[in-house]
Amino acid sequence: MAHAQRHTGPARSVEEHTAEVSGLLAPLLARPAETVPVPDALGRVVAADVVSPVDLPLFRNSQMDGFAVDAATVAAVPVTLPIVATIPAGPTRPAPHVPGTAVRIMTGAALPDGAEAVVPVEDTEVSGDTVTILRPRTAGEFVRDRGSDVASGMLLVPNGTRLEPRHVSVLAAVGLPGVPVRTRPRVAVLTTGAELVDAGSTPAPGQIFDSNGPALAASLRANGADVVSVDRSSDDPDAFRNALHRATSRAELVITSGGVSMGDFEVVKDVLSGMGGRFGKVAMQPGGPQGVAVVDGVPVLTFPGNPVSTLVSFELFVRPLLRRAAGLPAIPTETVALDHALTSIPGKRQLLRGRRTTTGVGTVAGPGSHLVAAFAWADVLIDIPADTTALTAGDRVKVWPL
Ligand code: AMP
Ligand code: MG
C-alpha cells in the first residue's frame, strides 16, 4: 500500500502545476466581507469605500491655548481686554462672544459664537483679570472650523486599502465603531518529520528544529491569511491522517511540508496517494517534488521539506493567489541585470536566491535547498527559465521580490 501509487511520469512544468493549484484554490477568491471593531482592524483590507458619518472637526474649536477674541478688537496692538470666561476642552456650551472682551480658551475647546480668532498665550501678558494682546490677529487665525478636515460623506479609506495605524486613527476620529473588511483565507500548516522538535528543546542526535512551521505561518500571515493552526506530525501514517483531519476541520487550505520525495518514509505522499492525491516532479529547483490533494473537501498542497524548497514553493504557487484572495496588491516581478555569469541545469526552472546590488542582482551562496541563512540574506528570487543553461554578466533576468 505504502508505495503503490508513487508517481513516476515526466516532470510537469511550473506553469502546469501553477494552473492546477490555481484551479484548486479558486474558491478562495470569492471572499465575503465581515465587520470588525476599528481598534482590531489594523492590517485588514477594507471591503468597501468607507465614508465619514460626521464633519471633522465636529465643532469649531481652538487650535491653541490662548484667548478667543473678535478680529476688530485685536487689529491694532497692544490692547488690554477683560478676561470674561475660561473654557477648557470638554463638554461646554460657551456663551456668545462679547466684542471687546477676551475668553481664556484651551486647545480643542469649543469657540464662543462670534469669537473670530485665538491669540496664543505666548503673544499675551496676563495681569489679574485682564490680558494684553501683543500681536495683531485676523479672523480665522488659530481657529479650526467645523468640517475643515472632513465633510460628512467624504471618502476616508478606499475599498481595498490595507489598514495602517493612520487609517485606524481617522476611522476612530469619526466615531465609527466597526469597519467592513475582507475575511482572511483560513489556512492550516502541517509539518511532518520524525526528526522535528520545537525551539527550546535540546535536539537529540538526528533531530532538528522545525523551521517550516514558523516559516510557512509567517509567509501566510504576511500575505493576508488567517493561520488557524500550525501542527506537526511524525512520519506515522495514522498520526499524519489524524493531524490532517484536524487541519481540514478548520481550514479552507492546508499546506504540508515534508514527506513527498523519493525516500522510504514519505508519509504525506503515501497517505494522500491513497486518498486521490496527485504527486510528481515539477521541473524546478528547488521545490521539485510537489503534490495536491483534496481532503474533506479542502485543498491540500504538499511542499517538500527542505526549508528553502518549502518557502520557494510558497512564493511561486501560493503567494500570488493568496494575495488576490486577501485583497492585497500583487507584488510584480521585475527585470534586472545580473552582476555575474551563472550556469543553470537544463530542463529545470531555477529559482536562485539573489540580492539586489547598486548595479543589478547577484546570487547569494549556492543553490542548496537547506541553506536557510543564505535565503535570509536574499531579497529576491532570480527566476532562470528551464531552457536557459548559461547567462553572462549584464544579462537581464526576472526576479521575484521577497
Ligand atoms: P523531506 O521532504 O521530509 O524528505 O525532508 C527533506 C529535508 O528537509 C530533510 O533534511 C528534513 O529534515 C528537512 N525538513 C523537513 N521538514 C522540515 C521542517 N519542518 N523544518 C526544517 N527542516 C525540515
Ligand atoms: Mg521527512
Side-chain angles (χ1 to χ4, degrees):
M1 164 74 201
H3 299 162
Q5 309 214 16
R6 188 150 282 165
H7 184 102
T8 51
R12 301 199 297 157
S13 69
V14 170
E15 292 74 17
E16 285 170 307
H17 191 65
T18 302
E20 179 168 17
V21 170
S22 302
L24 267 182
L25 303 196
L28 294 185
L29 294 175
R31 311 302 306 159
E34 63 179 329
T35 297
V36 296
V38 167
D40 300 337
L42 180 67
R44 302 299 298 271
V45 176
V46 299
D49 286 348
V50 184
V51 299
S52 181
V54 294
D55 291 339
L56 272 192
L58 291 169
F59 51 90
R60 195 163 164 263
N61 69 84
S62 175
Q63 189 177 329
M64 298 291 272
D65 295 326
F67 291 89
V69 294
D70 55 284
T73 298
V74 297
V77 294
V79 58
T80 299
L81 309 174
I83 303 170
V84 296
T86 296
I87 314 175
T92 46
R93 203 175 270 281
H97 179 73
V98 178
T101 68
V103 169
R104 193 193 306 269
I105 193 163
M106 308 305 145
T107 305
L111 228 66
D113 285 345
E116 293 167 315
V118 173
V119 181
V121 72
E122 301 88 303
D123 298 334
T124 65
E125 264 171 26
V126 175
S127 168
D129 289 345
T130 66
V131 58
T132 302
I133 308 296
L134 303 174
R135 281 189 58 179
R137 291 290 167 193
T138 55
E141 283 192 273
F142 298 111
V143 173
R144 301 159 168 172
D145 276 321
R146 173 176 177 150
S148 54
D149 183 11
V150 173
S152 177
M154 194 177 112
L155 178 64
L156 298 175
V157 181
N159 188 6
T161 304
R162 187 179 207 177
L163 293 173
E164 300 283 348
R166 62 186 183 279
H167 303 123
V168 173
S169 170
V170 72
L171 297 177
V174 300
L176 283 173
V179 58
V181 295
R182 304 278 282 266
T183 48
R184 291 176 297 200
R186 297 191 316 279
V187 187
V189 173
L190 173 53
T191 62
T192 65
E195 71 277 32
L196 303 176
V197 297
D198 281 327
S201 57
T202 306
Q207 290 186 319
I208 61 169
F209 295 113
D210 179 354
S211 65
N212 290 342
L216 282 171
S219 305
L220 288 160
R221 290 196 183 104
N223 292 284
D226 175 11
V227 177
V228 292
S229 61
V230 184
D231 202 357
R232 186 166 68 227
S233 123
S234 68
D235 292 319
D236 171 67
D238 285 332
F240 175 69
R241 219 176 274 118
N242 289 339
L244 190 63
H245 291 304
R246 272 200 304 278
T248 58
S249 70
R250 305 177 221 177
E252 299 164 281
L253 166 64
V254 178
I255 297 180
T256 69
S257 91
V260 292
S261 45
M262 303 301 275
D264 281 339
F265 305 98
E266 307 293 8
V267 68
V268 174
K269 182 155 72 176
D270 293 345
V271 167
L272 287 176
S273 291
M275 300 171 80
R278 271 174 43 82
F279 290 84
K281 282 264 182 198
V282 175
M284 63 188 276
Q285 191 190 55
Q290 295 287 340
V292 297
V294 177
V295 176
D296 305 327
V298 176
V300 180
L301 303 182
T302 70
F303 293 164
N306 270 306
V308 177
S309 309
T310 283
L311 281 192
V312 168
S313 303
F314 177 87
E315 296 296 322
L316 250 63
F317 301 123
V318 177
R319 186 176 78 169
L321 196 137
L322 174 61
R323 292 186 69 86
R324 271 178 65 201
L328 297 172
I331 300 175
T333 57
E334 295 162 34
T335 304
V336 293
L338 259 184
D339 277 355
H340 53 77
L342 59 80
T343 58
S344 186
I345 328 161
K348 278 190 185 179
R349 188 157 154 191
Q350 285 253 21
L351 292 138
L352 299 170
R353 273 65 70 207
R355 194 169 164 88
R356 294 167 190 278
T357 62
T358 49
T359 48
V361 69
T363 54
V364 183
S369 41
H370 61 294
L371 300 173
V372 288
F375 199 6
W377 285 111
D379 56 16
V380 295
L381 292 175
I382 306 176
D383 191 343
I384 312 289
D387 54 7
T388 300
T389 53
L391 291 165
T392 55
D395 281 349
R396 314 276 297 169
V397 287
K398 184 164 99 174
V399 300
W400 298 59
L402 291 171

